[in-house]
Amino acid sequence: MKDVCLHIILLFLGFFYISNATPTGRNSKTRHGRHEKGKEGQVLHRSKRGWVWNQFFVIEEYTGPDPVLVGRLHSDVDSGDGKIKYILSGEGAGTIFVIDDKSGNIHATKTLDREERAQYTLMAQAVERETNKPLEPPSEFIVKVQDINDNPPEFLHENYHANVPEMSNVGTSVIQVTASDADDPTYGNSAKLVYSILEGQPYFSVEAQTGIIRTALPNMDREAKEEYHVVIQAKDMGGHMGGLSGTTKVTITLTDVNDNPPKFPQSAYPMSISEAAVPGEEVGRLKAKDPDIGENGLIKYHILDGDGAEMFEITTDYQTQEGVVKLKKVVDYETKKFYNMKVEATNVHIDSRFMSRGLFKDTATVKISVEDADEPPIFLEPSYVLEVFENEPPETIVGRVHAKDPDAANSPIRYAIDRHTDFDRYFSIDLHDGVIRTTKPLDREEGSWHNISVTATELHNQAHEAKVPVAIKVLDRNDNAPEFAKQYEALLCENAQINQHLLTITAIDKDDTANGQRFHFSFPPHLAHPNQNFTIKDNRDNTASIHVGRGIFSRQKQDFYPLPIVISDGGVPSLTSTNTLSIRVCSCSEGAVLSCNAEPQTLNAGLSTGALIAILACIVILLVIVVLFVTLRREKKEPLIVFEEEDIRENIITYDDEGGGEEDTEAFDIATLQNPDGINGFLPRKDIKPEFQYPPRELGIRPAPNSVDVDDFINTRIHEADNDPTAPPYDSIQIYGYEGRGSVAGSLSSLESASTDSDLDYDYLQNWGPRFKKLADLYGSKDTCEDDS
């Protein structure tokens, strides 16, 4: 294959320079070798090589009227007769980059932006125009877009916010701002940025290379100025003239530190409090000012010294940062009228860096004056405990209470007992001196303590009242004799042994044990005989033991022994009582009680003869009432239809009379039996038969006594009513069935039931006996009649 040499002519565009293609851009390959002379006259031989290239350059943002010439392709076999055609392919070929297929010139037809695309890879090849036969293999080359400074620096944020403590040292880092440049950082200084401060001097500075903002002045005070606005500029081209720039705003806030001590705006604070105030009541407030904020401005207050330190206290209201002076103890105008105390205000959190500025505290004097108040009376004691013996006569002195007016006026006091605490009025009190007396004898056994309330009122101002509790203890006297602790009953076997222990008894005494509850048990003097049936032993512990005196007892001779026992107490004077111990003789077997002959006791405790007679009399009266009731019921029962002397028609009319229905306003008024249309004047009368003709009943209904047939009787009356010109309109049956105009009840008559298709079954009347036989024949034979027909 014939060798082909491809020459590339590089263009010098703008200020970019491309060196000759022999050493850097291409290698030449010719048919015949070329002779070049070295520096020392040596002849060099160059071997035949094809053209090889790496890259072309084109400047970005070119805005000229003609396309930019990028380069030119040329083959050694191209004689200029147009037989060689140059082909370009790859990225942007045909759109951005075009080639003249005859001359091989490559042009850029569009404006290029390096920030959008930095380079393009293309393929170049020379072919025969007629056959498109390649003259050499395609070669790849790169077109790089040469950067120009067309992008200004841009900060990451349009606005920055930063904080730095006040009083910071010079050079304290505040914040770092960063800008970026879209230009090529590897070519020239287009992307080399330099930071500078436009606004915010002399308080802050910025590092030119890093963009770090630092404090530039010492002792910047937040209380003087809290917020600063700084403008930072970033400029490319290394900050030289002609470079592009961008700016951002930085808002810097000084944060608070505790660099200011609290200060009272005044040295003394006057306050006042009424002597009637109660502990815990607020006296006044004072406030020390601290320009610091947050926890740096927190203040606590306390009392240093003064005569009011024991009477008052101070707390801190952390919402308002005020010191609240409160009453700690009750003050008395008559005792002391003025109090002074020194109050100190200190910071809660102290910054040791600023201790050299002095102590972070301040003091002030609080002067409190006590105001006089009309106070209620005061009892000398908070409560009283008095004593009085029981059974004392009325007007016995119990004790005395005393109250006084604490005011300088010293108003007289009047005393009274609160009757809500002394409903039974056991006590009275002297109105002037407060002496309490009894009004009746007291019984300790009913109540050993009486709790009352005594009120004291000023004579000149009865609205001022004081009250004190008085507890009165009723002292005991030995006025109650001892008695059995319970009712004792002992069971004694007939064969009991001599000196056998029978029972242990004890006693109680309502009196106080202080009067000596030492009980002594004994038999009455008339029973103290050596041959007695029972013996008693005082155990000297307020109990006594009962023993069997002799060993033979018989229920037939005596089955019950009431044993009197005398109990005496140890009081002064000693009181005694006689109590009865019940001993019952029982039948025993091997120590087990079989029978104690309780039957007679049960009979004795039963009903008396009078009670039994009363019960029998009640039973007889009840029987008489029952007999009379049954007799009256039998006399009242009558047959359904009376056939003797009574008029059967009247009986039927009375039995089946339903009145005029809902329109009946006058009892048994014949007008209600008339047709309402006739009453209104529409039909004076109608001498016609009713529209409903009831078929006569079939035979099979047994006639009533005395040969009276109810069915024939009704048919006869219907015929008479139909032909009687003086009878009411229609017939009686129609009128019976009329319930008044607008009635929702319908017919209440049962006279039509025989001719209507009723679902009721009256066969049960057959089972009601002879008294309902007639009704059973009238209503219960429907099926029978139908079967006969």
Side-chain angles (χ1 to χ4, degrees):
M1 182 178 177
K2 189 177 182 180
D3 294 334
V4 178
C5 293
L6 185 62
H7 299 276
I8 300 176
I9 302 175
L10 301 179
L11 301 179
F12 297 92
L13 301 177
F15 51 83
F16 296 98
Y17 171 79
I18 304 300
S19 62
N20 61 76
T22 300
T24 58
R26 61 183 181 180
N27 294 324
S28 60
K29 182 179 181 181
T30 60
R31 180 179 297 272
H32 303 285
R34 294 184 178 179
H35 301 278
E36 295 183 359
K37 183 178 290 186
K39 295 182 180 179
E40 299 179 353
Q42 184 181 1
V43 177
L44 300 178
H45 299 276
R46 178 172 294 177
S47 59
K48 295 184 294 183
R49 290 178 294 177
W51 289 95
V52 179
W53 55 87
N54 292 324
Q55 59 187 6
F56 293 151
F57 294 91
V58 62
I59 193 170
E60 69 169 339
E61 302 295 344
Y62 176 73
T63 57
D66 299 325
V68 178
L69 180 61
V70 178
R72 182 180 182 183
L73 301 179
H74 182 73
S75 177
D76 291 341
V77 298
D78 186 5
S79 59
D81 54 2
K83 293 181 180 181
I84 301 299
K85 182 173 68 174
Y86 299 96
I87 299 174
L88 186 65
S89 63
E91 297 174 346
T95 56
I96 299 175
F97 302 101
V98 296
I99 189 172
D100 187 340
D101 59 354
K102 293 182 179 181
S103 63
N105 292 332
I106 301 174
H107 292 84
T109 61
K110 295 182 179 180
T111 301
L112 302 180
D113 189 356
R114 191 201 66 83
E115 286 70 36
E116 293 182 2
R117 192 181 185 103
Q119 65 181 23
Y120 298 84
T121 303
L122 299 171
M123 302 289 291
Q125 191 175 23
V127 300
E128 292 184 1
R129 182 175 296 277
E130 293 181 358
T131 62
N132 286 331
K133 181 179 180 181
L135 300 179
E136 61 179 15
S139 297
E140 181 182 280
F141 65 96
I142 296 174
V143 177
K144 285 190 174 183
V145 181
Q146 191 70 46
D147 183 45
I148 64 173
N149 189 19
D150 58 343
N151 292 281
E154 292 183 359
F155 284 92
L156 299 181
H157 303 285
E158 183 179 356
N159 293 286
Y160 290 84
H161 295 274
N163 298 322
V164 64
E166 64 174 335
M167 299 296 173
S168 296
N169 297 327
V170 175
T172 301
S173 175
V174 180
I175 190 175
Q176 183 178 12
V177 294
T178 303
S180 61
D181 196 320
D183 293 326
D184 188 0
T186 63
Y187 180 79
N189 294 326
S190 298
K192 185 178 182 181
L193 305 181
V194 174
Y195 299 93
S196 61
I197 184 169
L198 301 182
E199 294 182 15
Q201 295 175 332
Y203 306 103
F204 300 94
S205 63
V206 63
E207 292 184 357
Q209 304 301 325
T210 62
I212 297 176
I213 301 175
R214 300 181 182 274
T215 58
L217 285 180
N219 301 327
M220 286 191 294
D221 192 0
R222 184 199 65 83
E223 289 72 30
K225 185 176 182 180
E226 183 176 5
E227 191 173 83
Y228 296 84
H229 298 281
V230 179
V231 177
I232 302 298
Q233 174 184 265
K235 190 174 183 180
D236 59 15
M237 298 299 293
H240 297 295
M241 186 175 297
L244 303 179
S245 63
T247 60
T248 186
K249 294 181 180 179
V250 182
T251 302
I252 301 176
T253 303
L254 297 183
T255 57
D256 186 60
V257 297
N258 191 12
D259 58 337
N260 295 283
K263 292 291 183 182
F264 283 107
Q266 57 193 68
S267 59
Y269 291 85
M271 299 179 184
S272 61
I273 185 68
S274 173
E275 63 174 342
V278 296
E281 187 171 335
E282 182 177 320
V283 180
R285 292 181 175 232
L286 67 162
K287 182 177 181 180
K289 293 185 178 181
D290 190 335
D292 296 323
I293 60 175
E295 66 177 13
N296 296 318
L298 295 180
I299 302 173
K300 60 182 178 181
Y301 300 86
H302 62 276
I303 299 174
L304 291 179
D305 53 30
D307 54 6
E310 296 295 328
M311 308 302 294
F312 302 91
E313 61 183 356
I314 188 169
T315 60
T316 302
D317 185 346
Y318 287 103
Q319 297 295 328
T320 61
Q321 295 299 306
E322 293 177 317
V324 183
V325 180
K326 295 181 179 180
L327 183 64
K328 186 177 181 181
K329 296 180 180 179
V330 177
V331 293
D332 186 11
Y333 174 81
E334 288 72 23
T335 303
K336 189 175 179 62
K337 299 179 175 60
F338 298 98
Y339 293 91
N340 294 317
M341 57 185 179
K342 183 180 288 186
V343 176
E344 182 182 67
T346 60
N347 278 131
V348 177
H349 304 284
I350 299 177
D351 195 335
S352 59
R353 296 178 299 171
F354 306 101
M355 290 297 294
S356 60
R357 298 189 175 190
L359 298 177
F360 280 74
K361 58 185 178 181
D362 194 18
T363 59
T365 301
V366 178
K367 298 180 179 181
I368 302 175
S369 60
V370 180
E371 297 177 349
D372 188 20
D374 190 3
E375 300 175 89
I378 298 176
F379 282 94
L380 299 185
E381 300 291 338
S383 62
Y384 292 86
V385 178
L386 307 178
E387 295 179 349
V388 63
F389 278 99
E390 65 176 335
N391 301 326
E392 291 293 328
E395 297 299 323
T396 298
I397 295 177
V398 179
R400 181 189 179 190
V401 296
H402 183 68
K404 66 176 183 178
D405 182 8
D407 298 323
N410 195 17
S411 176
I413 304 299
R414 296 294 178 260
Y415 300 92
I417 296 177
D418 185 355
R419 291 305 173 184
H420 291 90
T421 60
D422 185 27
F423 288 107
D424 296 326
R425 297 181 178 270
Y426 286 114
F427 306 97
S428 63
I429 190 170
D430 190 280
L431 183 65
H432 302 283
D433 58 11
V435 175
I436 300 175
R437 293 180 172 85
T438 61
T439 59
K440 61 182 73 174
L442 303 178
D443 187 356
R444 190 202 67 85
E445 286 68 40
E446 291 183 0
S448 59
W449 285 91
H450 295 269
N451 297 308
I452 63 175
S453 294
V454 176
T455 60
T457 308
E458 291 183 9
L459 178 62
H460 303 298
N461 188 357
Q462 306 214 352
H464 284 175
E465 180 183 271
K467 185 176 291 188
V468 67
V470 179
I472 300 175
K473 182 179 181 181
V474 181
L475 302 178
D476 186 50
R477 293 185 185 277
N478 192 26
D479 57 345
N480 291 278
E483 58 186 9
F484 274 159
K486 62 179 181 179
Q487 293 296 326
Y488 290 101
E489 183 180 35
L491 301 180
L492 175 66
C493 293
E494 292 178 308
N495 56 353
Q497 301 295 324
I498 298 176
N499 293 328
Q500 177 181 336
H501 179 266
L502 184 61
L503 183 68
T504 298
I505 59 176
T506 184
I508 58 174
D509 194 332
K510 296 179 181 179
D511 292 324
D512 192 1
T513 56
N515 285 318
Q517 279 198 5
R518 168 65 181 88
F519 301 127
H520 176 71
F521 301 86
S522 63
F523 289 140
H526 64 278
L527 292 179
H529 192 273
N531 294 326
Q532 59 186 348
N533 295 326
F534 304 97
T535 62
I536 187 170
K537 178 183 177 182
D538 193 337
N539 298 325
R540 298 184 179 277
D541 60 353
N542 294 334
T543 63
S545 300
I546 307 299
H547 296 269
V548 178
R550 60 184 179 85
I552 299 176
F553 295 90
S554 175
R555 288 195 302 160
Q556 287 75 19
K557 294 182 179 179
Q558 186 175 356
D559 60 355
F560 179 75
Y561 291 88
L563 185 62
I565 296 177
V566 177
I567 308 175
S568 60
D569 59 21
V572 179
S574 178
L575 298 179
T576 62
S577 67
T578 302
N579 299 264
T580 301
L581 171 64
S582 299
I583 301 177
R584 197 175 302 280
V585 180
C586 302
S587 174
C588 302
S589 175
E590 297 181 358
V593 177
L594 299 179
S595 174
C596 294
N597 197 20
E599 291 79 2
Q601 298 296 329
T602 303
L603 291 176
N604 292 337
L607 297 174
S608 63
T609 304
L612 294 175
I613 294 175
I615 293 174
L616 292 176
C618 292
I619 294 174
V620 172
I621 292 173
L622 290 175
L623 291 175
V624 172
I625 292 174
V626 171
V627 170
L628 290 176
F629 179 74
V630 172
T631 303
L632 291 176
R633 287 195 62 183
R634 290 181 178 178
E635 292 179 355
K636 288 183 178 180
K637 289 185 177 181
E638 298 178 355
L640 182 63
I641 300 177
V642 181
F643 297 98
E644 276 79 13
E645 299 178 356
E646 297 182 7
D647 189 355
I648 191 170
R649 293 173 297 174
E650 294 180 359
N651 189 16
I652 292 176
I653 293 172
T654 302
Y655 181 80
D656 293 329
D657 185 14
E658 298 185 33
E662 295 177 353
E663 293 186 352
D664 186 5
T665 58
E666 297 181 2
F668 305 100
D669 187 2
I670 194 61
T672 59
L673 300 177
Q674 298 175 350
N675 188 352
D677 294 335
I679 295 175
N680 296 333
F682 298 105
L683 294 175
R685 68 162 291 153
K686 292 183 179 181
D687 295 331
I688 62 175
K689 293 183 178 181
E691 296 179 4
F692 290 92
Q693 297 294 334
Y694 300 102
R697 285 185 171 271
E698 299 293 338
L699 297 177
I701 302 176
R702 292 189 298 176
N706 298 330
S707 301
V708 178
D709 185 51
V710 175
D711 191 37
D712 293 341
F713 170 75
I714 293 175
N715 291 332
T716 302
R717 293 301 299 268
I718 292 174
H719 184 268
E720 293 177 356
D722 292 340
N723 296 279
D724 186 2
T726 62
Y730 304 111
D731 54 46
S732 298
I733 294 180
Q734 288 289 342
I735 291 179
Y736 287 157
Y738 184 73
E739 292 299 323
R741 180 178 298 173
S743 172
V744 296
S747 175
L748 301 178
S749 174
S750 62
L751 296 179
E752 295 179 3
S753 61
S755 61
T756 58
D757 296 334
S758 175
D759 294 335
L760 297 178
D761 184 9
Y762 297 98
D763 290 341
Y764 60 86
L765 295 175
Q766 299 288 348
N767 301 325
W768 284 18
R771 295 183 181 276
F772 298 92
K773 186 172 182 61
K774 192 62 179 178
L775 287 177
D777 293 337
L778 291 174
Y779 294 95
S781 60
K782 179 178 180 181
D783 297 336
T784 305
C785 295
E786 291 176 357
D787 295 337
D788 294 340
S789 60

